[in-house]
Amino acid sequence: MDDTEIRLAAAGTPSASALLLRPWRPRDADGLADTYGDPVMRRWSGVTMDDAADAERWVREQRRGWRTGERLAFAVLEDRPGGGEGRLAGHVVLKTPHGPSPEVGYWTAAHARGRGVASRALGALTEWAFTAFPGLTRLALLHQVDNTASCRVAEKTGYGLDGVLLAAPPAFPLDGHLHVRVRGAGDGPAGRAGQGGEAPAAGLGAVTPSGPA
């Protein structure tokens, strides 16, 4: 999929700047390892990133995902007054949009937390996904059950709780939450596909980190 012209935007708030979402670029690797060094990121993310080489490798994977169409990842940047890209604030991703279970994921940089970055960026990604892929009918969001921050982001963005994913150690030591948003049902926490009960964990996918993203 060609990512050259894709740009998304999320409005600002009285206390936080607007956001610009665009596909990751090689230059974004600078300082990314420091972002992943945050203890909260390390707790929830399944990604290991210790140095610049790891960061460059990760960015290459995000770019490869656009070429294959299997992983459409956006860097979330603060939008500077008057235009231009500001500081990296986070990341959102649409996984396997053509597959049987499309999924979203995200994380927020430590300095940007508490400003609604995750919910605003996820809202922009979700709206774009349903527009860009007419055959897409639902999106899933998964997180570990004790990640209460990610649960709040999901509900705020219209991803209703659909069921519990049972722990599957060692990869998934705790239960997870499965949230779902369906096309046309995203106004408030109503975008749920029904209370789905329990199922074995298949992966815990977002980071507010909400899980590997």
Side-chain angles (χ1 to χ4, degrees), residues 140-148 150-152 154-155 160-166 174-180 203-205 210:
L141 185 159
L142 298 87
H143 66 82
Q144 193 163 285
V145 69
D146 57 344
N147 191 340
T148 56
S150 195
C151 209
R152 290 193 298 270
E155 293 284 355
L161 181 62
D162 190 60
V164 175
L165 302 174
L166 299 181
L174 297 179
D175 291 351
H177 279 174
L178 168 63
H179 293 261
V180 169
L204 302 179
S210 64

Side-chain angles (χ1 to χ4, degrees), residues 56-206:
E56 291 167 0
R57 188 177 305 111
W58 186 86
V59 170
R60 286 196 299 270
E61 281 298 303
Q62 311 316 303
R63 292 175 60 77
R64 187 182 70 82
W66 278 97
R67 293 193 297 272
T68 64
E70 291 299 304
R71 183 182 179 87
L72 310 182
F74 292 83
V76 180
L77 305 161
E78 296 172 346
D79 195 5
R80 287 177 176 165
E85 297 181 356
R87 194 174 179 185
L88 177 67
H91 157 82
V92 290
V93 58
L94 171 63
K95 307 173 188 178
T96 61
H98 300 290
S101 301
E103 183 184 335
V104 295
Y106 51 87
W107 51 252
T108 304
H111 74 87
R113 292 185 194 130
R115 304 177 191 174
V117 168
S119 58
R120 288 186 288 145
L122 180 59
L125 175 74
T126 301
E127 182 178 349
W128 171 79
F130 283 130
T131 301
F133 299 95
L136 196 63
T137 59
R138 59 178 263 159
L139 290 168
L141 185 159
L142 298 87
H143 66 82
Q144 193 163 285
V145 69
D146 57 344
N147 191 340
T148 56
S150 195
C151 209
R152 290 193 298 270
V153 169
E155 293 284 355
K156 185 175 181 180
T157 320
Y159 286 79
L161 181 62
D162 190 60
V164 175
L165 302 174
L166 299 181
F172 307 107
L174 297 179
D175 291 351
H177 279 174
L178 168 63
H179 293 261
V180 169
R181 179 163 162 176
V182 298
R183 178 185 291 274
D187 296 329
R192 64 186 68 201
Q195 298 300 320
E198 298 182 345
L204 302 179

Side-chain angles (χ1 to χ4, degrees), residues 13-87:
T13 71
S15 59
S17 65
L19 302 172
L20 168 68
L21 286 67
R22 59 139 175 85
W24 287 85
R25 297 289 180 248
R27 66 178 181 272
D28 298 325
D30 294 341
L32 189 58
D34 291 337
T35 300
Y36 265 87
D38 167 56
V40 175
M41 288 281 285
R42 287 190 176 275
R43 177 183 179 186
W44 297 118
S45 176
V47 176
T48 299
M49 191 181 300
D50 295 322
D51 53 30
D54 288 341
E56 291 167 0
R57 188 177 305 111
W58 186 86
V59 170
R60 286 196 299 270
E61 281 298 303
Q62 311 316 303
R63 292 175 60 77
R64 187 182 70 82
W66 278 97
R67 293 193 297 272
T68 64
E70 291 299 304
R71 183 182 179 87
L72 310 182
F74 292 83
V76 180
L77 305 161
E78 296 172 346
D79 195 5
R80 287 177 176 165
E85 297 181 356
R87 194 174 179 185

